[in-house]
């Protein structure tokens, strides 16, 4: 339920999101925060909300959360623009309304509240102690502080607990700027030049530069589409989860997969190649009344998964077992949703041919899924072509044919541990007409892209 936090009205935020995740952010802020004026840009979403800041900080689809300080149309640079003219145009835009900076600083301070005061004390202590400590000790302490930050923030509705006297003491303010500049403007001004222009202007307002422990970080994004200035509201990205010890798949993508599965109370959700269990843990955090089961053939991955289950205190409703996805120890139609991130890419790429094993893997997933259940798969673009071919195949696929031709028409061997169960060994794989395609989305996974596919099992 939405907790109202800002009696003074709506606050405008923006957040960064991985490529392809923007629509998930739009849906999440609308549903959980009753956000208004939601605007989607590439890699960013802007929204207004009156929700309590601790609730805003619990968004799951988001990389980083910012207080929106200023948003302007992109700066138009003529072909004759030189650095001096560009700097002057930039200054006029950024400082068009100096009062805006004062009110942004006050909003920021109010959002930080007690949390900021506590942080300031910790920073002071840290600075005093640092002279006597090794770099490793300092790093450890900073990391601990960052985590404490996140925990404190989610435990308290900070803006509500903020003492009144803090709310107006917003200037003078110390700041540090980081800037990402691309497009036409970057041909005249570097990111450093932009920081200098903004820094000099803020100093004229009485603000102070503090590169080590600023009160406010200012992040500037300038490109041909927009000019966005914000202040990050958490030191760590929201995508860093405090409840996951060892990460596998990017947490935001894992969360998005769980969203697509439309999990409901009483569901049994299966990840038959669970790795460290990230998808199931994200799903379990969101759906407290469902149960979760993970299989993997790699003992190292299973250890990470069970440590993660323990760390997240999910032992009562999430279990991981050693089993192959090609021969799952489950009765037919026993599972409500299957979510799976198949091995591909550099981190989890398999030396053996996943394409050759895909018909059998799909047949097993389809077998254990009940009619009406959801299948959500994350695949590389190449494996997605194989998936499409398998699912549009009219005739039952022969195991040997698939193996010989694979996805690339070359001889291949199945991946280790994916030998077909005896029942399927000599039979053709059943055609998978029961899987009805619902949606396919392209997402960035860092250096590579993945495709998310959603199917519903029908009774045909
Ligand atoms: C891409 S990783 C999954 C990562 C996982 N989503 C996470 O967040 O950690 C794929 C996993 O499939 C497992 N795997 C490969 N072949 C398998 C098989 N036949 N049966 C079950 N698991 C298998 C690998 O051990 C690996 O952990």
């Amino acid at each position: 339920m939405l907790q109202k936090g800002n009696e003074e009205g709506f606050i405008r935020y923006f957040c960064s999101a991985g490529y392809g995740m923007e629509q998930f952010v739009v849906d999440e802020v609308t549903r959980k925060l009753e956000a208004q004026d939601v605007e989607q840009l590439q890699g960013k979403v802007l929204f207004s909300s009156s929700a309590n800041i601790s609730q805003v900080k619990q968004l799951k689809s988001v990389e980083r959360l910012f207080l929106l300080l200023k948003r302007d149309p992109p700066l138009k640079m003529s072909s004759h623009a030189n650095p001096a003219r560009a700097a002057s145009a930039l200054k006029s835009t950024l400082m068009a309304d100096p009062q805006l900076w004062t009110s942004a600083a006050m909003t920021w301070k109010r959002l930080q509240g007690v949390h900021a005061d506590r942080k300031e004390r910790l920073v002071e202590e840290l600075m005093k102690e640092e002279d006597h400590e090794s770099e490793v000790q300092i790093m450890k302490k900073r990391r601990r502080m960052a985590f404490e930050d996140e925990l404190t923030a989610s435990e308290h509705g900070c803006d509500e607990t903020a003492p009144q006297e803090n709310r107006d003491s917003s200037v003078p303010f110390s700041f540090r700027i980081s800037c990402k500049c691309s497009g036409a403007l970057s041909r005249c001004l570097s990111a450093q030049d932009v920081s200098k222009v903004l820094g000099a202007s803020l100093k004229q307002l009485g603000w102070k530069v503090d590169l080590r422990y600023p009160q406010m970080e200012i992040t500037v994004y300038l490109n041909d589409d927009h000019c966005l200035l914000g202040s990050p509201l958490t030191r760590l990205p929201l995508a860093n989860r405090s409840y996951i010890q060892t990460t596998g798949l990017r947490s935001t993508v894992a969360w998005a997969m769980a969203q697509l599965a439309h999990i409901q109370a009483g569901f049994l959700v299966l990840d038959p190649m669970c790795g460290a269990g990230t998808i199931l843990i994200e799903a379990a955090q969101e759906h407290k009344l469902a149960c979760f089961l993970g299989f993997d053939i790699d003992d190292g991955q299973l250890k990470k998964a069970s440590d993660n289950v323990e760390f997240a205190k999910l032992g009562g409703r999430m279990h991981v077992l050693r089993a192959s996805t090609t021969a799952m120890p489950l009765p037919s139609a026993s599972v409500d949703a299957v979510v799976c991130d198949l091995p591909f890419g550099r981190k989890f790429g398999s030396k053996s041919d996943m394409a050759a094993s895909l018909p059998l893997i799909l047949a097993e997933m389809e077998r254990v899924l009940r009619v009406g259940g959801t299948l959500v798969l994350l695949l590389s673009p190449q494996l997605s072509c194989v998936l499409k071919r398998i699912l549009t195949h009219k005739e039952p696929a022969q195991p040997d044919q698939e193996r010989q031709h694979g996805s690339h028409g070359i001889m291949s061997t199945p991946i280790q541990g994916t030998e077909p169960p005896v029942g399927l060994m000599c039979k053709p794989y059943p055609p998978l007409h029961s899987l009805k395609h619902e949606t396919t989305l392209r997402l960035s996974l860092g250096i590579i892209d993945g495709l998310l596919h959603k199917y519903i099992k029908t009774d045909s």
Side-chain angles (χ1 to χ4, degrees):
M1 210 187 72
L2 184 74
Q3 294 160 28
K4 295 281 173 185
N6 306 297
E7 67 282 4
E8 287 151 56
F10 279 73
I11 287 183
R12 190 117 181 104
Y13 300 93
F14 79 89
C15 48
S16 57
Y19 170 79
M21 283 293 298
E22 299 91 340
Q23 189 54 48
F24 288 95
V25 179
V26 170
D27 292 345
E28 191 184 15
V29 297
T30 309
R31 184 167 48 84
K32 291 187 180 166
L33 305 177
E34 295 174 11
Q36 297 189 5
D37 302 322
V38 182
E39 192 183 345
Q40 180 178 332
L41 309 173
Q42 190 175 325
K44 312 261 179 318
V45 174
L46 286 71
F47 63 95
S48 301
S49 174
S50 62
N52 187 304
I53 182 65
S54 61
Q55 222 171 344
V56 184
K57 285 179 181 175
Q58 280 167 31
L59 289 170
K60 297 294 178 69
S61 52
V62 160
E63 290 292 328
R64 297 214 68 147
L65 173 70
F66 300 84
L67 170 68
L68 181 71
L69 300 175
K70 194 162 167 47
R71 197 253 168 112
D72 285 303
L75 275 182
K76 296 271 178 256
M77 289 290 116
S78 75
S79 48
H80 312 295
N82 58 36
R85 273 201 207 161
S88 149
L90 179 67
K91 184 176 174 186
S92 314
T93 303
L94 297 178
M95 290 295 142
D97 178 7
Q99 184 54 37
L100 185 144
W101 285 96
T102 310
S103 61
M106 287 170 74
T107 309
W108 187 87
K109 183 86 176 165
R110 183 161 55 81
L111 283 175
Q112 299 296 311
V114 159
H115 178 44
D117 294 341
R118 185 177 163 281
K119 197 156 76 185
E120 278 158 21
R121 273 203 312 278
L122 280 169
V123 168
E124 271 169 28
E125 279 167 25
L126 184 68
M127 284 168 79
K128 272 187 218 148
E129 288 171 23
E130 268 186 10
D131 297 341
H132 312 286
E133 288 181 354
S134 71
E135 261 179 43
V136 176
Q137 280 171 314
I138 292 169
M139 237 169 61
K140 275 189 184 164
K141 197 183 287 178
R142 286 194 175 161
R143 208 173 296 156
R144 199 191 65 224
M145 262 179 61
F147 262 103
E148 280 177 359
D149 257 10
E150 307 302 309
L151 290 176
T152 319
S154 50
E155 277 162 16
H156 303 290
C158 294
D159 53 333
E160 286 183 338
T161 49
Q164 199 63 40
E165 63 271 19
N166 284 333
R167 297 189 171 197
D168 301 325
S169 57
S170 53
V171 278
F173 224 64
S174 68
F175 67 96
R176 171 172 69 190
I177 300 170
S178 61
C179 177
K180 285 189 182 137
C181 188
S182 61
L185 185 70
S186 68
R187 288 193 280 277
C188 295
L189 295 178
S190 67
Q192 217 181 0
D193 296 331
V194 172
S195 302
K196 274 189 198 155
V197 171
L198 177 58
S201 309
L202 289 175
K203 279 201 255 177
Q204 284 174 1
L205 296 182
W207 292 31
K208 290 181 291 186
V209 177
D210 183 345
L211 297 180
R212 257 185 121 191
Y213 303 109
Q215 283 172 295
M216 188 195 250
E217 297 261 0
I218 299 173
T219 308
V220 184
Y221 292 101
L222 293 177
N223 59 31
D224 290 338
D225 298 322
H226 54 250
C227 166
L228 267 185
L229 280 81
S231 182
L233 287 164
T234 56
R235 195 177 310 197
L236 294 177
L238 295 194
N240 290 20
R241 310 295 204 226
S242 56
Y243 49 80
I244 295 187
Q245 187 169 265
T246 309
T247 49
L249 179 63
R250 206 181 188 90
S251 60
T252 49
V253 174
W255 181 87
M257 290 180 73
Q259 283 305 107
L260 284 181
H262 285 295
I263 299 166
Q264 289 167 30
F267 267 28
L268 173 61
V269 181
L270 169 73
D271 180 348
M273 297 174 127
C274 69
T278 323
I279 307 172
L280 295 181
I281 290 175
E282 286 298 323
Q285 290 291 333
E286 197 84 14
H287 302 280
K288 308 281 183 204
L289 297 175
C291 290
F292 301 89
L293 182 60
F295 294 146
D296 206 289
I297 45 162
D298 183 309
D299 288 331
Q301 292 294 322
L302 283 170
K303 168 87 176 82
K304 287 182 196 166
S306 49
D307 288 350
N308 274 340
V309 171
E310 199 183 319
F311 188 74
K313 299 190 173 64
L314 290 170
R317 56 195 183 94
M318 177 168 163
H319 301 278
V320 291
L321 301 174
R322 191 177 204 287
S324 172
T325 189
T326 55
M328 292 194 261
L330 287 174
S332 299
S334 55
V335 165
D336 300 288
V338 176
V339 285
C340 188
D341 157 29
L342 281 89
F344 67 90
R346 208 179 288 166
K347 192 168 173 191
F348 281 109
S350 167
K351 285 200 190 87
S352 38
D353 194 344
M354 182 51 63
S357 309
L358 200 52
L360 179 55
I361 290 173
L362 281 173
E364 261 298 84
M365 289 178 179
E366 192 262 2
R367 180 184 70 77
V368 299
L369 193 60
R370 69 159 166 84
V371 170
T374 310
L375 171 65
V376 179
L377 298 174
L378 178 62
L379 295 172
S380 63
Q382 291 78 7
L383 278 178
S384 298
C385 294
V386 183
L387 172 78
K388 193 171 167 202
R389 218 191 55 203
I390 297 166
L391 294 180
T392 49
H393 220 226
K394 295 277 179 292
E395 301 300 320
Q398 301 293 333
D400 283 342
Q401 272 176 16
E402 280 297 337
R403 212 165 278 166
Q404 281 168 23
H405 299 299
S407 60
H408 317 292
I410 50 167
M411 286 283 280
S412 54
T413 46
I415 56 169
Q416 197 193 0
T418 63
E419 294 76 17
V422 181
L424 280 174
M425 187 90 81
C426 313
K427 290 188 195 161
Y429 308 132
L432 298 167
H433 297 148
S434 71
L435 294 177
K436 184 172 158 283
H437 179 255
E438 284 264 308
T439 188
T440 293
L441 303 164
R442 195 176 188 111
L443 296 175
S444 165
L445 301 171
I447 43 173
I448 50 169
D449 280 1
L451 293 182
L452 260 185
H453 306 272
K454 175 179 170 182
Y455 292 86
I456 303 285
K457 181 168 171 178
T458 62
D459 56 6
S460 63

